[in-house]
Amino acid sequence: MSLTRSTRVLKCALFLVLVAASGCVRLPELGNLSYLAPRERRGSILANINPSQPQLSLNELQLKGSHNSYHRAPRFALSRTWRYSHAPLEVQLASQGVRQLELDVRFADGELRVNHLPMVDGRSNCSQLNDCLGRIKRWSRAHPAHLPVFVFIEVKEDLAPSNLAGKLDAIDFAITRVFTRDMLMLPEDVAGTSPSLREAIIQNGWPSVDDARGRIAFVMFGPMRHKRAYSKGRPRLDGRVMFVAERDTHRPHTSVVFYDDPQHMREQISAAVKQRFLVRTRADANLHRNVVRRDAALSSGANFISTDYVDPRHNWLELSGTVAARCNPLSASRDCSALALSEDSRPALAEAAPQVTPSSSTTYADTANTPPLSDSATSATP
C-alpha cells in the first residue's frame, strides 16, 4: 500500500472515529431491509413440533413479561419504587418463564445505552443494547423451539433526553447486526399482502405459534413523536424492524396496543383482543402488589402481563407451571392446550439455565424491600 493511500485510509478512519464520538453516526439506508441476512432454513426441529396439534395463532396466547427487564436496584435508592433487581435476561428466559422483555434505550457517546434514569437509577444487567441483544440471541439459538419472545424497546426521555430524534434507524440497525433474518418476526411478515398492518391483523390475525417458534419480535413504544417519526408513511411498516405499540387501534400500522391498567381499561383491552391485536398490560406498578389488579390482568385477555415480580419464588404471576405461556382466557380456541404450547424440544424450564443464588444484599425483585400484598391471597390464577 502506498504512503499516499495509507494516509488517506488513516484520515478516513480518524474522521469516522470523530463522527462516532460526536454521536452523529451515519446509518445505512434501511428502506427495504436488504441489509438483512437472507432467511435461513428453519430446520426439521420446527417443522415437526406437535404435527398432530391444531395450528394456534399468537393472539391465542398469554405470556408473562418483565417490566424494565434489565433493571438492577441502585446502591442508594432515592425512591422506594427503584428497589428491585431482575435476573439477567437469559435467566429470565430460561428459568423464570418470561417471553416478553422490556428495554429502555438512550443514545449517548455514540452508543445505544440501556438504563432507567442516568446517574440516579442507572444500574443495568446489560448497559449496552448490543450486549442485551446478544444475551437474547444466544439463549434463542440454544432453544430453537421456544415460543416467540417479544422485546419492547422504550425510547426514554425522562430526566435525560434520549438523543434519538432523527436516529431511530440506529435501533433497527443494532438489532439486525445481532439477529439474522431467520430469527426475526418483522412487520412485513405479518402484513403479508394487506395494504396495512391493521387490516392484516383484523382480517387474518397473527402468524401461527409454530411458525413463530424460535423468533424474536421487537416492539417500539415510548414518546409519541418518536413513534410518529418511525411509522410515518408506512402503513405496513415496510422496511422497519419493530412493530409500534399504540393506544389508538385505528392507526393503519397498529398491531400491538398497550393499556397498563387492567382494572380501569378492561373494556379497551377486551375490544382490542377481540379484534386480534396483541395487548400488553401490567399486573402491578411501583412495586405495589394488589391481588385484584393482578387477577384483572390475568382475566382481561391481554397477551402480555408485565410485572416486577417475575421470579417464581415470589409466587405472584405463574401462568401454567413449566410451560412458558397459557391459553388466553378470552381469545383462545378450544383447540388450545398446554401440549400445543409445549417447548419440550428444548430443556425443561427449570433446567435450561443454572439457578442463580441471590446475594444477601439484593435478590431478584429485591424481596428484602418488597411491600406486603394488599390482599391476603398470594397465588396466581392458574
Side-chain angles (χ1 to χ4, degrees), residues 308-346:
D308 288 321
Y309 299 93
V310 294
D311 192 321
R313 289 172 293 186
H314 293 304
N315 194 30
W316 176 244
L317 194 68
E318 299 313 299
L319 297 183
S320 54
T322 59
V323 181
R326 73 168 186 165
C327 299
N328 191 299
L330 187 62
S331 62
S333 65
R334 293 182 179 179
D335 294 326
C336 187
S337 67
L339 179 61
L341 304 181
S342 173
E343 297 174 312
D344 280 347
S345 56
R346 68 177 182 92

Short mmCIF file of all heavy atoms in Angstrom, two decimals, residues 308-346:
data_model
loop_
_atom_site.label_atom_id
_atom_site.label_comp_id
_atom_site.label_asym_id
_atom_site.label_seq_id
_atom_site.Cartn_x
_atom_site.Cartn_y
_atom_site.Cartn_z
N ASP A 308 -43.05 -6.65 37.92
CA ASP A 308 -41.73 -6.50 38.53
C ASP A 308 -41.34 -7.75 39.30
O ASP A 308 -40.21 -7.87 39.76
CB ASP A 308 -41.72 -5.32 39.50
CG ASP A 308 -41.77 -3.98 38.78
OD1 ASP A 308 -41.13 -3.85 37.72
OD2 ASP A 308 -42.46 -3.06 39.28
N TYR A 309 -42.28 -8.71 39.43
CA TYR A 309 -42.05 -9.90 40.25
C TYR A 309 -42.11 -11.16 39.40
O TYR A 309 -43.04 -11.96 39.49
CB TYR A 309 -43.12 -9.96 41.37
CG TYR A 309 -43.07 -8.78 42.31
CD1 TYR A 309 -43.88 -7.66 42.08
CD2 TYR A 309 -42.22 -8.78 43.40
CE1 TYR A 309 -43.83 -6.57 42.93
CE2 TYR A 309 -42.17 -7.69 44.26
CZ TYR A 309 -42.97 -6.59 44.02
OH TYR A 309 -42.92 -5.51 44.86
N VAL A 310 -41.11 -11.34 38.56
CA VAL A 310 -41.12 -12.49 37.64
C VAL A 310 -40.51 -13.74 38.26
O VAL A 310 -40.76 -14.85 37.79
CB VAL A 310 -40.38 -12.16 36.33
CG1 VAL A 310 -41.12 -11.10 35.55
CG2 VAL A 310 -38.95 -11.73 36.58
N ASP A 311 -39.69 -13.59 39.29
CA ASP A 311 -39.06 -14.73 39.92
C ASP A 311 -40.13 -15.65 40.52
O ASP A 311 -40.97 -15.19 41.31
CB ASP A 311 -38.09 -14.26 41.02
CG ASP A 311 -37.18 -15.36 41.51
OD1 ASP A 311 -37.64 -16.51 41.65
OD2 ASP A 311 -35.99 -15.07 41.76
N PRO A 312 -40.15 -16.94 40.15
CA PRO A 312 -41.18 -17.85 40.69
C PRO A 312 -41.22 -17.91 42.20
O PRO A 312 -42.26 -18.26 42.78
CB PRO A 312 -40.78 -19.21 40.09
CG PRO A 312 -40.03 -18.87 38.84
CD PRO A 312 -39.28 -17.60 39.17
N ARG A 313 -40.12 -17.56 42.86
CA ARG A 313 -40.11 -17.61 44.32
C ARG A 313 -41.05 -16.59 44.94
O ARG A 313 -41.40 -16.69 46.13
CB ARG A 313 -38.68 -17.40 44.83
CG ARG A 313 -37.77 -18.59 44.56
CD ARG A 313 -36.32 -18.28 44.89
NE ARG A 313 -35.77 -17.29 43.98
CZ ARG A 313 -34.48 -16.94 43.99
NH1 ARG A 313 -33.65 -17.49 44.85
NH2 ARG A 313 -34.04 -16.04 43.13
N HIS A 314 -41.48 -15.61 44.15
CA HIS A 314 -42.46 -14.65 44.66
C HIS A 314 -43.88 -15.22 44.64
O HIS A 314 -44.78 -14.65 45.27
CB HIS A 314 -42.43 -13.36 43.84
CG HIS A 314 -41.16 -12.59 43.98
ND1 HIS A 314 -40.67 -12.17 45.19
CD2 HIS A 314 -40.26 -12.17 43.06
CE1 HIS A 314 -39.54 -11.52 45.01
NE2 HIS A 314 -39.26 -11.53 43.74
N ASN A 315 -44.06 -16.33 43.90
CA ASN A 315 -45.40 -16.93 43.82
C ASN A 315 -46.46 -15.90 43.47
O ASN A 315 -47.53 -15.83 44.08
CB ASN A 315 -45.76 -17.62 45.14
CG ASN A 315 -46.96 -18.55 45.00
OD1 ASN A 315 -47.18 -19.12 43.93
ND2 ASN A 315 -47.73 -18.70 46.06
N TRP A 316 -46.16 -15.09 42.46
CA TRP A 316 -47.02 -13.97 42.13
C TRP A 316 -47.69 -14.10 40.77
O TRP A 316 -48.89 -13.90 40.64
CB TRP A 316 -46.20 -12.67 42.20
CG TRP A 316 -46.94 -11.43 41.79
CD1 TRP A 316 -46.67 -10.62 40.72
CD2 TRP A 316 -48.09 -10.86 42.43
NE1 TRP A 316 -47.56 -9.57 40.67
CE2 TRP A 316 -48.45 -9.70 41.70
CE3 TRP A 316 -48.86 -11.22 43.53
CZ2 TRP A 316 -49.53 -8.90 42.05
CZ3 TRP A 316 -49.93 -10.43 43.90
CH2 TRP A 316 -50.26 -9.28 43.16
N LEU A 317 -46.95 -14.47 39.75
CA LEU A 317 -47.51 -14.47 38.40
C LEU A 317 -47.02 -15.69 37.63
O LEU A 317 -46.32 -15.57 36.63
CB LEU A 317 -47.13 -13.18 37.66
CG LEU A 317 -47.92 -12.91 36.37
CD1 LEU A 317 -49.37 -12.58 36.68
CD2 LEU A 317 -47.29 -11.74 35.60
N GLU A 318 -47.37 -16.87 38.11
CA GLU A 318 -47.01 -18.10 37.41
C GLU A 318 -48.20 -18.55 36.58
O GLU A 318 -49.25 -18.88 37.11
CB GLU A 318 -46.58 -19.16 38.41
CG GLU A 318 -45.37 -18.75 39.24
CD GLU A 318 -44.26 -18.17 38.39
OE1 GLU A 318 -43.75 -18.89 37.52
OE2 GLU A 318 -43.91 -16.98 38.60
N LEU A 319 -48.02 -18.57 35.27
CA LEU A 319 -49.15 -18.79 34.39
C LEU A 319 -49.60 -20.23 34.34
O LEU A 319 -50.78 -20.53 34.44
CB LEU A 319 -48.81 -18.30 32.98
CG LEU A 319 -48.52 -16.80 32.84
CD1 LEU A 319 -48.26 -16.45 31.38
CD2 LEU A 319 -49.68 -15.98 33.38
N SER A 320 -48.66 -21.16 34.14
CA SER A 320 -49.09 -22.56 33.95
C SER A 320 -47.95 -23.53 34.20
O SER A 320 -47.60 -24.32 33.33
CB SER A 320 -49.64 -22.76 32.54
OG SER A 320 -48.70 -22.32 31.57
N GLY A 321 -47.36 -23.48 35.36
CA GLY A 321 -46.34 -24.45 35.70
C GLY A 321 -45.10 -24.33 34.86
O GLY A 321 -44.48 -23.28 34.78
N THR A 322 -44.72 -25.43 34.19
CA THR A 322 -43.46 -25.46 33.44
C THR A 322 -43.60 -24.97 32.01
O THR A 322 -42.62 -24.93 31.29
CB THR A 322 -42.90 -26.89 33.41
OG1 THR A 322 -43.86 -27.77 32.81
CG2 THR A 322 -42.58 -27.37 34.82
N VAL A 323 -44.80 -24.61 31.58
CA VAL A 323 -44.99 -24.08 30.24
C VAL A 323 -44.87 -22.56 30.30
O VAL A 323 -45.35 -21.93 31.23
CB VAL A 323 -46.36 -24.48 29.66
CG1 VAL A 323 -46.55 -23.95 28.25
CG2 VAL A 323 -46.51 -26.00 29.68
N ALA A 324 -44.20 -21.98 29.28
CA ALA A 324 -43.90 -20.54 29.32
C ALA A 324 -45.06 -19.68 28.85
O ALA A 324 -44.87 -18.49 28.62
CB ALA A 324 -42.67 -20.26 28.46
N ALA A 325 -46.24 -20.25 28.70
CA ALA A 325 -47.42 -19.48 28.28
C ALA A 325 -48.66 -20.26 28.70
O ALA A 325 -48.58 -21.41 29.13
CB ALA A 325 -47.41 -19.29 26.76
N ARG A 326 -49.78 -19.61 28.58
CA ARG A 326 -51.04 -20.32 28.77
C ARG A 326 -52.03 -19.88 27.71
O ARG A 326 -51.83 -18.86 27.02
CB ARG A 326 -51.60 -20.08 30.17
CG ARG A 326 -52.20 -18.70 30.39
CD ARG A 326 -52.98 -18.67 31.70
NE ARG A 326 -53.69 -17.41 31.91
CZ ARG A 326 -54.65 -17.25 32.82
NH1 ARG A 326 -55.00 -18.26 33.59
NH2 ARG A 326 -55.26 -16.09 32.95
N CYS A 327 -53.08 -20.65 27.56
CA CYS A 327 -54.12 -20.31 26.60
C CYS A 327 -54.84 -19.05 27.08
O CYS A 327 -55.21 -18.95 28.26
CB CYS A 327 -55.11 -21.46 26.45
SG CYS A 327 -54.36 -22.98 25.83
N ASN A 328 -55.02 -18.10 26.18
CA ASN A 328 -55.63 -16.84 26.55
C ASN A 328 -57.08 -17.05 26.98
O ASN A 328 -57.86 -17.68 26.25
CB ASN A 328 -55.58 -15.89 25.35
CG ASN A 328 -55.94 -14.47 25.70
OD1 ASN A 328 -57.04 -14.18 26.15
ND2 ASN A 328 -55.01 -13.55 25.49
N PRO A 329 -57.46 -16.56 28.17
CA PRO A 329 -58.82 -16.80 28.67
C PRO A 329 -59.91 -16.16 27.83
O PRO A 329 -61.08 -16.55 27.94
CB PRO A 329 -58.78 -16.21 30.08
CG PRO A 329 -57.69 -15.18 30.04
CD PRO A 329 -56.67 -15.73 29.10
N LEU A 330 -59.57 -15.20 27.00
CA LEU A 330 -60.58 -14.50 26.20
C LEU A 330 -60.56 -14.92 24.74
O LEU A 330 -61.61 -15.05 24.12
CB LEU A 330 -60.38 -12.99 26.31
CG LEU A 330 -61.46 -12.10 25.68
CD1 LEU A 330 -62.81 -12.33 26.36
CD2 LEU A 330 -61.07 -10.63 25.80
N SER A 331 -59.38 -15.16 24.18
CA SER A 331 -59.29 -15.35 22.72
C SER A 331 -58.92 -16.75 22.28
O SER A 331 -58.99 -17.04 21.08
CB SER A 331 -58.26 -14.37 22.15
OG SER A 331 -56.97 -14.62 22.70
N ALA A 332 -58.53 -17.63 23.18
CA ALA A 332 -58.06 -18.95 22.76
C ALA A 332 -59.22 -19.82 22.29
O ALA A 332 -60.33 -19.78 22.84
CB ALA A 332 -57.33 -19.64 23.91
N SER A 333 -58.96 -20.62 21.26
CA SER A 333 -59.95 -21.58 20.77
C SER A 333 -59.95 -22.82 21.65
O SER A 333 -59.08 -23.00 22.50
CB SER A 333 -59.62 -21.97 19.33
OG SER A 333 -58.39 -22.67 19.29
N ARG A 334 -60.91 -23.69 21.42
CA ARG A 334 -60.99 -24.93 22.20
C ARG A 334 -59.81 -25.85 21.92
O ARG A 334 -59.52 -26.75 22.70
CB ARG A 334 -62.30 -25.65 21.88
CG ARG A 334 -63.56 -24.91 22.35
CD ARG A 334 -64.81 -25.71 22.05
NE ARG A 334 -66.01 -25.03 22.52
CZ ARG A 334 -67.25 -25.51 22.37
NH1 ARG A 334 -67.42 -26.68 21.75
NH2 ARG A 334 -68.28 -24.83 22.84
N ASP A 335 -59.15 -25.63 20.80
CA ASP A 335 -58.01 -26.48 20.43
C ASP A 335 -56.75 -26.13 21.21
O ASP A 335 -55.77 -26.88 21.17
CB ASP A 335 -57.71 -26.35 18.93
CG ASP A 335 -58.84 -26.91 18.07
OD1 ASP A 335 -59.47 -27.89 18.51
OD2 ASP A 335 -59.09 -26.36 16.98
N CYS A 336 -56.74 -25.01 21.89
CA CYS A 336 -55.54 -24.60 22.63
C CYS A 336 -55.36 -25.48 23.85
O CYS A 336 -56.31 -25.78 24.58
CB CYS A 336 -55.67 -23.13 23.06
SG CYS A 336 -54.16 -22.47 23.81
N SER A 337 -54.13 -25.90 24.08
CA SER A 337 -53.81 -26.75 25.22
C SER A 337 -52.36 -26.56 25.60
O SER A 337 -51.56 -26.02 24.83
CB SER A 337 -54.06 -28.23 24.88
OG SER A 337 -53.13 -28.66 23.89
N ALA A 338 -52.01 -27.03 26.80
CA ALA A 338 -50.62 -26.94 27.23
C ALA A 338 -49.71 -27.72 26.29
O ALA A 338 -48.56 -27.33 26.04
CB ALA A 338 -50.49 -27.46 28.66
N LEU A 339 -50.20 -28.82 25.74
CA LEU A 339 -49.40 -29.62 24.80
C LEU A 339 -49.07 -28.82 23.56
O LEU A 339 -47.94 -28.85 23.06
CB LEU A 339 -50.15 -30.90 24.43
CG LEU A 339 -49.44 -31.83 23.43
CD1 LEU A 339 -48.11 -32.31 24.01
CD2 LEU A 339 -50.34 -33.02 23.08
N ALA A 340 -50.05 -28.07 23.05
CA ALA A 340 -49.82 -27.27 21.85
C ALA A 340 -48.82 -26.15 22.10
O ALA A 340 -48.19 -25.66 21.16
CB ALA A 340 -51.15 -26.69 21.35
N LEU A 341 -48.67 -25.72 23.36
CA LEU A 341 -47.75 -24.63 23.70
C LEU A 341 -46.41 -25.14 24.21
O LEU A 341 -45.56 -24.35 24.59
CB LEU A 341 -48.40 -23.74 24.78
CG LEU A 341 -49.77 -23.16 24.44
CD1 LEU A 341 -50.26 -22.29 25.59
CD2 LEU A 341 -49.72 -22.37 23.15
N SER A 342 -46.23 -26.43 24.20
CA SER A 342 -45.02 -27.02 24.78
C SER A 342 -43.76 -26.58 24.06
O SER A 342 -43.75 -26.37 22.84
CB SER A 342 -45.14 -28.55 24.74
OG SER A 342 -43.94 -29.16 25.14
N GLU A 343 -42.70 -26.44 24.82
CA GLU A 343 -41.37 -26.19 24.28
C GLU A 343 -40.47 -27.39 24.61
O GLU A 343 -39.28 -27.25 24.87
CB GLU A 343 -40.78 -24.91 24.88
CG GLU A 343 -41.57 -23.67 24.53
CD GLU A 343 -41.07 -22.42 25.24
OE1 GLU A 343 -40.85 -22.48 26.47
OE2 GLU A 343 -40.89 -21.39 24.59
N ASP A 344 -41.05 -28.58 24.55
CA ASP A 344 -40.38 -29.78 25.04
C ASP A 344 -39.11 -30.15 24.28
O ASP A 344 -38.29 -30.90 24.78
CB ASP A 344 -41.33 -30.99 25.01
CG ASP A 344 -42.27 -30.98 26.19
OD1 ASP A 344 -42.02 -30.21 27.13
OD2 ASP A 344 -43.25 -31.74 26.18
N SER A 345 -38.96 -29.64 23.05
CA SER A 345 -37.75 -29.98 22.31
C SER A 345 -36.54 -29.20 22.80
O SER A 345 -35.45 -29.36 22.31
CB SER A 345 -37.94 -29.72 20.81
OG SER A 345 -38.32 -28.40 20.60
N ARG A 346 -36.76 -28.31 23.78
CA ARG A 346 -35.64 -27.64 24.45
C ARG A 346 -35.60 -28.16 25.88
O ARG A 346 -36.50 -28.87 26.31
CB ARG A 346 -35.85 -26.12 24.47
CG ARG A 346 -37.00 -25.69 25.37
CD ARG A 346 -37.11 -24.20 25.40
NE ARG A 346 -38.18 -23.81 26.30
CZ ARG A 346 -38.00 -23.54 27.59
NH1 ARG A 346 -36.83 -23.65 28.13
NH2 ARG A 346 -39.01 -23.18 28.34
#
